[in-house]
Amino acid sequence: MEFTILFITILFISLIQIAAPFLVKRTVVFGVAIPYEQTNHPKVKQFKRRYAISTCFIALIVLLRFFILKQGSITETKLVLSGVVLPFVLILASLSLYFYFHYKTTKVKKSQHWFEGVKQVRVADLSVRLKDEMLPSVVHFIPVILTISIVGLTIHVFDQLPNQVPTHWGPNGQPDDFTTKSWMTVLNLPIMLFVIQIMFFGINAATKNSGIKLSATNINSAKRRQLNLRKYSSWFLLVVNILMTMLFSFMQLNLLYENLVSNSMLWITPLIFFILILGGSLILAIKVGSADSDLEGKVIIEETNQIEDVDEDQNWKGGLIYFNPNDPSVFVEKRFGIGFTLNFANPRGYFIIFLPIVIILLMSFTM
């Protein structure tokens, strides 16, 4: 199972990294804002091709290396360790390529004086809010009902549990690590789950209140992309919430009732969860990336109307980190990849994202 999960992970990361330059909106190339009319510039197209080919080559090497390790006499532990390290190798390699082409694109932009003599404008369309199909944030409290039920059940059977309770299960489905029974160790999983559910609620609420940024040069496509991003991200977040609630509840029930399910179910269930998450991520990428990007297939007119979007490169550190104290939005669309990223100048984002992560880490290390 470990090999299958890790191989699928590496393959998925590879495909996303290779396709990334073609999924982002046309007017952002490797984190650099460019005029709409320059999206067909030979250098821009060349940079995207070179990045995709280089990343594909690196991904093939990583996948081949992992497959060869599986065929050798390597132990299961070392195989898993390699499967964890290799995706990071792939991500670091693609990130290095990203920064290289980010520098090259910035250099071409400056040398060509692309934004000089061009009027930069911001587009606001109040009617687009009426078409926003993001789910109401309260739906993320629906899975909390199951979490509360699991907590109540745990309290009810606490006295019947053995003095040593399992905290980890091996590949064969058998527990291989135990700890002394206490309220904290027994309720650890439901409490973690509740913290995650609160975080999902905060993310959805903050995203719903964040601004919808449209393009002055491609309003209809930009509007469709923003609405798709918000709608499908909201649904994806709810699906992840429900799946995590089901998985954590399944694990908690297995802790409370020994031999509740077969050993095969103990490793099949996380695999199904993992596959569903990856499938949802792929659907999100396609649904969002199909608008206002190279996937749209729209022909770019080789002329300028002397109006462009505001060049916000100064607010993006390396094209990846957004820091704009003048923007009240907590989350904004990524410049490389699909989804939202945090406005690091807005302190509310730290409370929504990092506080729950700190709580979960503290609970993990204090068990």
Side-chain angles (χ1 to χ4, degrees):
M1 180 187 72
E2 285 85 355
F3 174 78
T4 303
I5 290 178
L6 292 170
F7 188 85
I8 293 175
T9 300
I10 297 173
L11 180 61
F12 178 79
I13 292 175
S14 301
L15 294 176
I16 291 296
Q17 294 298 322
I18 293 169
F22 309 100
L23 294 173
V24 298
K25 54 186 179 182
R26 291 177 183 270
T27 53
V28 177
V29 180
F30 297 106
V32 180
I34 66 172
Y36 187 69
E37 290 77 13
Q38 300 300 335
T39 54
N40 269 340
H41 192 280
K43 284 291 183 181
V44 170
K45 297 173 71 173
Q46 181 190 65
F47 293 161
K48 290 183 178 181
R49 285 197 304 268
R50 287 173 59 186
Y51 171 90
I53 293 172
S54 301
T55 306
C56 183
F57 180 72
I58 295 170
L60 288 175
I61 293 177
V62 170
L63 288 167
L64 182 61
R65 174 60 178 168
F66 191 52
F67 185 78
I68 292 174
L69 288 173
K70 172 64 177 177
Q71 306 307 313
S73 57
I74 189 173
T75 64
E76 193 74 21
T77 301
K78 289 184 177 179
L79 180 65
V80 171
L81 181 61
S82 299
V84 172
V85 171
L86 287 175
F88 283 100
V89 172
L90 174 61
I91 292 172
L92 288 174
S94 62
L95 190 61
S96 299
L97 286 170
Y98 163 83
F99 280 119
Y100 172 74
F101 288 111
H102 173 82
Y103 165 76
K104 298 286 285 185
T105 306
T106 302
K107 189 175 179 180
V108 171
K109 174 182 175 179
K110 290 181 178 179
S111 65
Q112 298 288 327
H113 308 289
W114 277 343
F115 276 93
E116 287 189 10
V118 176
K119 183 180 180 180
Q120 300 179 34
V121 299
R122 297 183 189 275
V123 175
D125 186 351
L126 299 180
S127 65
V128 75
R129 282 283 181 184
L130 301 176
K131 300 178 181 179
D132 189 6
E133 297 183 68
M134 281 192 71
L135 294 172
S137 300
V138 71
V139 299
H140 288 281
F141 280 132
I142 296 177
V144 173
I145 298 173
L146 181 57
T147 305
I148 294 174
S149 301
I150 291 294
V151 170
L153 179 62
T154 302
I155 295 173
H156 178 70
V157 303
F158 180 81
D159 292 335
Q160 304 172 26
L161 297 175
N163 291 328
Q164 295 290 316
V165 293
T167 57
H168 186 270
W169 289 261
N172 59 357
Q174 294 295 324
D176 55 12
D177 193 16
F178 296 82
T179 188
T180 303
K181 181 180 72 171
S182 68
W183 285 110
M184 188 63 190
T185 55
V186 173
L187 290 173
N188 187 62
L189 282 176
I191 293 175
M192 279 189 182
L193 177 59
F194 181 70
V195 172
I196 293 172
Q197 289 167 337
I198 294 297
M199 181 175 69
F200 285 161
F201 168 83
I203 292 173
N204 194 87
T207 304
K208 195 173 182 68
N209 291 326
S210 294
I212 301 178
K213 298 186 177 182
L214 302 179
S215 171
T217 53
N218 198 15
I219 295 178
N220 291 331
S221 293
K223 186 183 299 184
R224 188 167 69 254
R225 181 183 182 90
Q226 285 292 306
L227 291 175
N228 283 350
L229 175 62
R230 295 167 68 86
K231 174 184 175 180
Y232 292 109
S233 294
S234 179
W235 275 100
F236 178 68
L237 196 64
L238 178 62
V239 170
V240 172
N241 190 349
I242 293 173
L243 288 175
M244 289 198 70
T245 302
M246 294 173 63
L247 179 62
F248 274 59
S249 299
F250 174 81
M251 295 166 61
Q252 183 70 5
L253 288 173
N254 188 64
L255 183 148
L256 299 179
Y257 299 99
E258 189 177 2
N259 300 321
L260 177 66
V261 295
S262 63
N263 293 340
S264 59
M265 280 297 296
L266 288 176
W267 65 265
I268 290 177
T269 302
L271 179 61
I272 294 174
F273 167 82
F274 183 72
I275 292 175
L276 289 175
I277 293 296
L278 291 186
S281 302
L282 186 60
I283 293 173
L284 174 65
I286 294 174
K287 288 290 187 179
V288 176
S290 60
D292 198 21
S293 72
D294 290 340
L295 295 185
E296 189 176 43
K298 184 177 180 180
V299 178
I300 304 299
I301 302 174
E302 299 291 345
E303 61 182 32
T304 179
N305 56 8
Q306 297 299 313
I307 295 179
E308 291 290 345
D309 296 319
V310 174
D311 185 358
E312 291 189 308
D313 283 359
Q314 70 277 6
N315 297 323
W316 288 88
K317 314 306 177 185
L320 297 177
I321 298 175
Y322 185 66
F323 191 94
N324 185 2
N326 297 319
D327 187 350
S329 299
V330 177
F331 296 102
V332 295
E333 183 180 1
K334 292 179 179 179
R335 278 198 163 191
F336 196 74
I338 296 297
F340 291 95
T341 188
L342 187 65
N343 178 6
F344 284 86
N346 193 323
R348 286 185 296 164
Y350 292 88
F351 180 79
I352 295 172
I353 299 295
F354 295 113
L355 180 58
I357 292 176
V358 170
I359 293 174
I360 292 173
L361 290 176
L362 287 175
M363 291 179 63
S364 301
F365 287 115
T366 56
M367 277 190 59

